Amino acid sequence: MKFRQEEDSIGIVNVDANHYWGAQTQRSLENFPQGVELMPKSQVMALVAIKRCAAIVNNRENKLDDKRKDLIVDACDRILKGEFDQEFPLTVWQTGSGTQTNMNVNEVISHIANKDEKVIHPNDHVNMSQSSNDVFPTAMHLSTLKNLHENLLVEIKETILCLKDLEEENSDIIKTGRTHLQDATPVKLSQEISAWRTSIERNLALIEQTSKDLTYLAIGGTAVGTGINAKKEFGDQMAEELSRFLDLDLKSDENKFFQLSSKSSLVNVHGTIKALATDLYKIANDIRFLSCGPRCGIGELIIPANEPGSSIMPGKVNPTQIESITMVAIKVMANDFAIAMANTQGQLQLNAYMPLIIHSMDNSIILLSKSLRCFREKLLKDLKANKEVIDSNLENSLMLVTSLSPHIGYDKASEIAKYAYNNKLTLKQASLKLGYLSEEEFDKYVDAKKMV
C-alpha cells in the first residue's frame, strides 16, 4: 500500500494514497471503533450540499474568489453524483459534534478540487464561514427532510391507498367484533380496516406538521451561536441558496443558540414516527390474530403464502411480514428512546450526541419505509377475507344479544346469552326456551345488518 503524508495542527500522519481524505479523517479511523455503523450517507450528502451552497454564498459575499468557488462546487457535484462514496468511512461513534465527519467532507472536497493545483484548503475555503457546530445540525435537518419526503411519506401514502382498496373490497362483509379479545357486537370488515387507514392518515398529518420545524436551520451560528467568522447575512443567504438547490422552503432560525444546543425538533419528528410505528404494530397484530389458524384459530383473514413456514411442518404458512414489521416497530421505539435521551445531553452551548441522533433517525426512516413497502406489497395487497368462517363466527356470536337489551332489558338479555352458552344453543333457541320472545320478535330485533 502506498501512503502520502498529511499534516494537521497535531502533526503528520500517513494516509492511503488511493484515498482523498486527509489527516483528521485518518486520525478518526485510528482512534474510534471500526467495522461498526458508518455515518449515514444521507447525512454526508447533506453536508456536501451545504459546502456547495456555502462556496456560492461566500463568493457572493466576496470572501471566496471565482476560481475556488468553481472548484468546490464541481467537487461537490461529483460527490453528489456518487463518484466518491468510498471516501466517507467514518463511524457514527466519534466526537458528539460530528466534527470528524465534517472534516472528512472538507478534506475530500479539497483533495478532489486540488487535483491540478493545490489552491483549496479544507478549513480556510471549504469550511469558510462555518463550524461543525452549525453545519452538522443543519445537515441533520436537511437529511431528515429529504429522507421523509423521498421515502417514508411516499410509502405511507401508498399504504393508505392500499387500505382504501381493501375497505372497498370488503364493504359488504359483516363480522364479529372483538373487545378484550372476547366476542363483541358486529362490525363491518371495512369499518375495521377504516380504523387502520385513519390511524395511518392521522400519523401522516402529524409527521408532515412536525417536520416543518426542521426547515429552520442552525447555519450561520458557527461555533456557539454568535456567528463568529461569518457575515451577519450568511445564515439567511445559506437558507435561500439551500432552498433553491434542494427544492425546500428553508429558513435561518432567528435563535442559533437554540439550534446548536437543542435537538427537540428532531425529537418531536421522531416522536410522530414512533407513533406511526406503534399503530403499525397494532394493525399487524390485528391481522396476526384474525388470520391465525387456518383451521384451529380465528381464521377470518387469509394471508398470502410467501414462503414455507416451517422446516419440519409441511404446508405451514406463517405471518412472516407481520413478524418483520413488528420487529421493525420495536426498533423504531428503541431509536426514539435513544434520540430523546441524547437530546437531554445538550450541555451549555452544544449538543454533543448528534451522530447518535442522526444515525437513529436515519435508521428509523429507512427501515420503516422499506418494511412498510414489504408489508403492503407482500401482505396487504393480497389479504383476503374468509367469508365462510366470518359468517359462521357471526352466527355463533353470543353478543348479538346486545340488540335485545332495549326490548327486554339488560338482565333478561344477559340470561339468554348465558343460557345459550351453557346449553350449547343458539341465541334464538335459548330465547324461545326461556319464553322471552317469539321467533318473529327475535328475527325482527336480532339483525346484524342493523347493528353496524
Side-chain angles (χ1 to χ4, degrees):
M1 182 185 295
K2 292 184 178 180
F3 293 96
R4 69 173 187 275
Q5 288 193 327
E6 291 285 339
E7 186 174 5
D8 60 13
S9 59
I10 294 180
I12 296 174
V13 293
N14 290 326
V15 176
D16 184 344
N18 293 317
H19 287 290
Y20 286 81
W21 61 72
Q24 292 197 45
T25 303
Q26 188 63 36
R27 292 189 192 282
S28 183
L29 282 170
E30 294 171 0
N31 290 333
F32 294 98
Q34 298 304 306
V36 293
E37 297 90 341
L38 298 183
M39 188 66 66
K41 182 179 178 181
S42 63
Q43 177 70 1
V44 172
M45 293 301 116
L47 286 167
V48 174
I50 291 168
K51 304 300 175 180
R52 184 189 190 280
C53 292
I56 293 170
V57 173
N58 281 318
N59 174 257
R60 190 182 301 144
E61 292 180 343
N62 297 315
K63 293 180 69 176
L64 188 70
D65 62 62
D66 291 345
K67 179 180 179 179
R68 289 187 171 91
K69 183 262 292 184
D70 291 340
L71 286 169
I72 292 172
V73 168
D74 179 67
C76 290
D77 286 342
R78 292 179 65 191
I79 294 170
L80 291 170
K81 289 176 183 176
E83 291 185 34
F84 299 93
D85 287 354
Q86 72 279 4
E87 300 302 318
F88 306 100
L90 299 189
T91 172
V92 170
W93 316 110
Q94 55 170 277
T95 177
S97 63
T99 299
Q100 280 127 14
T101 288
N102 181 42
M103 285 307 304
N104 177 205
V105 170
N106 290 335
E107 289 174 343
V108 171
I109 291 171
S110 65
H111 276 88
I112 295 169
N114 287 333
K115 183 180 179 181
D116 298 320
E117 182 184 3
K118 195 171 182 179
V119 294
I120 302 294
H121 189 280
N123 298 81
D124 294 339
H125 304 121
V126 185
N127 203 61
M128 181 182 285
S129 307
Q130 307 153 62
S131 163
S132 300
N133 297 353
D134 68 341
V135 165
F136 201 85
T138 297
M140 290 167 75
H141 282 208
L142 299 180
S143 65
T144 301
L145 283 168
K146 187 173 185 291
N147 269 339
L148 286 173
H149 289 302
E150 295 183 2
N151 296 293
L152 187 56
L153 298 184
V154 174
E155 299 303 333
I156 293 173
K157 290 171 184 176
E158 288 295 320
T159 302
I160 290 169
L161 292 176
C162 181
L163 289 171
K164 286 181 177 178
D165 289 342
L166 269 179
E167 279 182 74
E168 186 175 345
E169 181 183 322
N170 296 286
S171 60
D172 296 328
I173 297 177
I174 300 173
K175 64 185 289 292
T176 298
R178 293 176 180 87
T179 57
H180 304 269
L181 290 181
Q182 304 297 307
D183 300 345
T185 56
V187 64
K188 285 185 177 182
L189 179 54
S190 59
Q191 292 171 327
E192 191 166 40
I193 296 169
S194 76
W196 304 343
R197 170 185 53 78
T198 300
S199 66
I200 295 178
E201 286 175 337
R202 304 258 171 111
N203 285 316
L204 172 63
L206 285 171
I207 294 170
E208 289 178 328
Q209 179 61 38
T210 56
S211 65
K212 291 178 182 178
D213 284 348
L214 300 181
T215 61
Y216 291 89
L217 306 180
I219 195 71
T222 64
V224 295
T226 60
I228 189 171
N229 291 354
K231 289 192 175 182
K232 185 178 179 181
E233 302 81 12
F234 183 75
D236 289 330
Q237 291 192 32
M238 279 296 293
E240 291 175 10
E241 193 62 38
L242 284 164
S243 295
R244 279 192 292 271
F245 184 61
L246 300 175
D247 194 25
L248 293 169
D249 183 15
L250 304 167
K251 297 163 281 291
S252 177
D253 199 304
E254 63 182 18
N255 194 316
K256 306 296 194 302
F257 308 103
F258 162 73
Q259 286 292 348
L260 267 62
S261 61
S262 174
K263 300 294 164 278
S264 60
S265 296
L266 290 157
V267 173
N268 292 335
V269 170
H270 197 277
T272 62
I273 296 171
K274 179 190 71 173
L276 170 65
T278 62
D279 279 331
L280 287 172
Y281 195 112
K282 190 269 181 192
I283 291 165
N285 242 11
D286 283 355
I287 299 172
R288 189 203 310 262
F289 283 126
L290 293 172
S291 65
C292 70
R295 290 187 174 178
C296 300
I298 296 175
E300 292 183 350
L301 295 179
I302 302 171
I303 59 173
N306 295 322
E307 61 273 315
S310 173
S311 61
I312 189 173
M313 293 174 278
K316 197 170 191 291
V317 175
N318 288 337
T320 52
Q321 287 297 323
I322 291 166
E323 291 159 1
S324 175
I325 201 167
T326 51
M327 286 191 289
V328 167
I330 291 171
K331 175 61 175 169
V332 171
M333 293 177 219
N335 285 341
D336 191 72
F337 176 79
I339 290 172
M341 190 64 198
N343 188 50
T344 69
Q345 301 304 303
Q347 299 141 350
L348 305 178
Q349 275 67 63
L350 183 69
N351 180 289
Y353 286 72
M354 290 189 286
L356 171 60
I357 293 174
I358 195 56
H359 164 66
S360 300
M361 178 70 81
D362 181 88
N363 179 254
S364 287
I365 294 174
I366 298 303
L367 187 56
L368 196 53
S369 299
K370 292 183 176 182
S371 180
L372 193 52
R373 178 184 296 181
C374 287
F375 186 68
R376 183 181 69 251
E377 298 288 343
K378 302 299 182 181
L379 187 140
L380 288 180
K381 281 190 173 180
D382 294 316
L383 190 65
K384 300 298 179 185
N386 190 338
K387 197 165 186 311
E388 183 180 350
V389 173
I390 287 173
D391 290 344
S392 176
N393 286 341
L394 181 63
E395 184 180 346
N396 289 324
S397 173
L398 297 176
M399 290 305 100
L400 294 173
V401 78
T402 304
S403 62
L404 294 179
S405 292
H407 306 286
I408 63 174
Y410 182 94
D411 291 337
K412 287 182 179 179
S414 178
E415 186 180 350
I416 289 173
K418 291 177 181 177
Y419 189 84
Y421 179 75
N422 290 331
N423 293 279
K424 295 182 173 59
L425 301 173
T426 65
L427 287 175
K428 180 187 282 190
Q429 290 169 335
S431 178
L432 295 175
K433 279 274 188 182
L434 293 171
Y436 291 146
L437 292 163
S438 67
E439 186 172 352
E440 292 77 16
E441 289 174 320
F442 185 91
D443 290 340
K444 179 182 177 181
Y445 300 142
V446 182
D447 183 350
K449 292 180 180 179
K450 295 178 181 178
M451 301 175 72
V452 296

